[in-house]
């Protein structure tokens, strides 16, 4: 009788450990699904940034003000487009520090958030890849004409325009504290 009781207790403990293992794997699967969904939501952020960059306000105000930071007449317009005409302070991974805190970001940049799936919040920041304010120049900005299209050998690009590059950073916050950052380097064709 004692042996039977010991075997029953061992079987009960084994059953509990199997149940706990199944529960843990379902939690991990759920977390991975939320993470994947938040990665998918970054696409709407990049699409929103591209739409902003095609607007007349962006084209008219994006690269014009030379009086910054002392006299930024266009600063309010920039904030409404989630735009900075120079690179902002970034962490070691290249993520703008202002975007790491949702409260700080929302208080500075006021553009509407992109549409996202329920439970997700998407924030977008567009930065011109320049180390200062003012007009675009080769000495202070990264220009599209200066970069190869792939490979390691320089290529001649006849007729290439010296358009500024922009870094688009998207932050997606989702259920169960999922947080995803994505970046894209883009340029817009001037009229």
């Amino acid at each position: 009788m004692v042996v039977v009781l010991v075997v029953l207790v061992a079987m009960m403990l084994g059953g509990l450990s199997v149940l706990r293992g199944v529960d843990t794997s379902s939690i991990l699967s759920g977390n991975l699904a939320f993470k994947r969904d938040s990665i998918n939501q970054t696409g709407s952020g990049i699409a929103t940034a591209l739409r902003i960059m095609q607007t007349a306000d962006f084209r008219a105000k994006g690269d014009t003000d030379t009086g910054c930071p002392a006299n930024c007449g266009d600063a309010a317009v920039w904030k409404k487009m989630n735009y900075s005409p120079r690179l902002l302070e970034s962490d070691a991974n290249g993520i703008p520090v202002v975007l790491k805190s949702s409260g700080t970001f929302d208080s500075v940049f006021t553009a509407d958030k992109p549409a996202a799936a329920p439970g997700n919040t998407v924030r977008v920041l567009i930065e011109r890849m320049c180390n200062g304010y003012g007009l675009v120049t080769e000495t202070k900005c990264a220009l599209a004409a200066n970069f190869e299209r792939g490979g390691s050998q320089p290529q001649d690009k006849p007729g290439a325009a010296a358009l500024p590059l922009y870094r688009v950073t998207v932050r997606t916050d989702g259920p169960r504290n999922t947080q995803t950052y994505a970046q894209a380097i883009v340029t817009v064709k001037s009229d």
Side-chain angles (χ1 to χ4, degrees), residues 31-104:
N31 288 343
L32 290 172
F34 285 126
K35 183 67 173 175
R36 185 175 185 168
D37 184 48
S38 72
I39 290 169
N40 291 338
Q41 296 302 315
T42 60
S44 68
I46 291 173
T48 298
L50 294 174
R51 276 194 298 279
I52 290 170
M53 294 173 78
Q54 296 297 324
T55 64
D57 273 348
F58 187 86
R59 290 176 180 217
K61 304 287 186 179
D63 301 316
T64 57
D65 199 317
T66 57
C68 285
N71 179 20
C72 286
D74 294 329
V77 175
W78 294 337
K79 290 177 182 180
K80 288 180 183 176
M81 295 185 287
N82 289 5
Y83 171 67
S84 172
R86 66 177 180 86
L87 289 171
L88 300 174
E89 178 187 359
S90 299
D91 68 6
N93 296 315
I95 304 297
V97 174
V98 70
L99 193 57
K100 305 232 11 162
S101 166
S102 58
T104 303

Side-chain angles (χ1 to χ4, degrees), residues 4-160:
V4 171
L5 286 175
V6 170
V7 170
L8 280 175
V9 169
M11 287 176 49
M12 182 179 73
L13 291 175
L16 288 175
S17 68
V18 167
L19 182 64
R20 186 175 178 99
V22 168
D23 187 44
T24 302
S25 67
S26 67
I27 288 172
L28 288 174
S29 297
N31 288 343
L32 290 172
F34 285 126
K35 183 67 173 175
R36 185 175 185 168
D37 184 48
S38 72
I39 290 169
N40 291 338
Q41 296 302 315
T42 60
S44 68
I46 291 173
T48 298
L50 294 174
R51 276 194 298 279
I52 290 170
M53 294 173 78
Q54 296 297 324
T55 64
D57 273 348
F58 187 86
R59 290 176 180 217
K61 304 287 186 179
D63 301 316
T64 57
D65 199 317
T66 57
C68 285
N71 179 20
C72 286
D74 294 329
V77 175
W78 294 337
K79 290 177 182 180
K80 288 180 183 176
M81 295 185 287
N82 289 5
Y83 171 67
S84 172
R86 66 177 180 86
L87 289 171
L88 300 174
E89 178 187 359
S90 299
D91 68 6
N93 296 315
I95 304 297
V97 174
V98 70
L99 193 57
K100 305 232 11 162
S101 166
S102 58
T104 303
F105 181 81
D106 291 343
S107 69
V108 174
F109 296 99
T110 59
D112 292 334
K113 292 179 183 64
N120 290 288
T121 304
V122 178
R123 291 174 177 82
V124 177
L125 178 62
I126 305 166
E127 300 169 276
R128 185 177 66 174
M129 294 183 67
C130 294
N131 59 12
Y133 293 102
L135 298 175
V136 174
T137 64
E138 189 172 337
T139 57
K140 71 177 179 182
C141 298
L143 303 176
N146 296 342
F147 291 89
E148 287 85 24
R149 294 184 181 175
S152 59
Q153 297 298 317
Q155 300 174 13
D156 293 332
K157 295 186 200 175

Side-chain angles (χ1 to χ4, degrees), residues 157-170:
K157 295 186 200 175
L163 299 172
L165 295 174
Y166 298 89
R167 178 172 73 180
V168 176
T169 307
V170 180

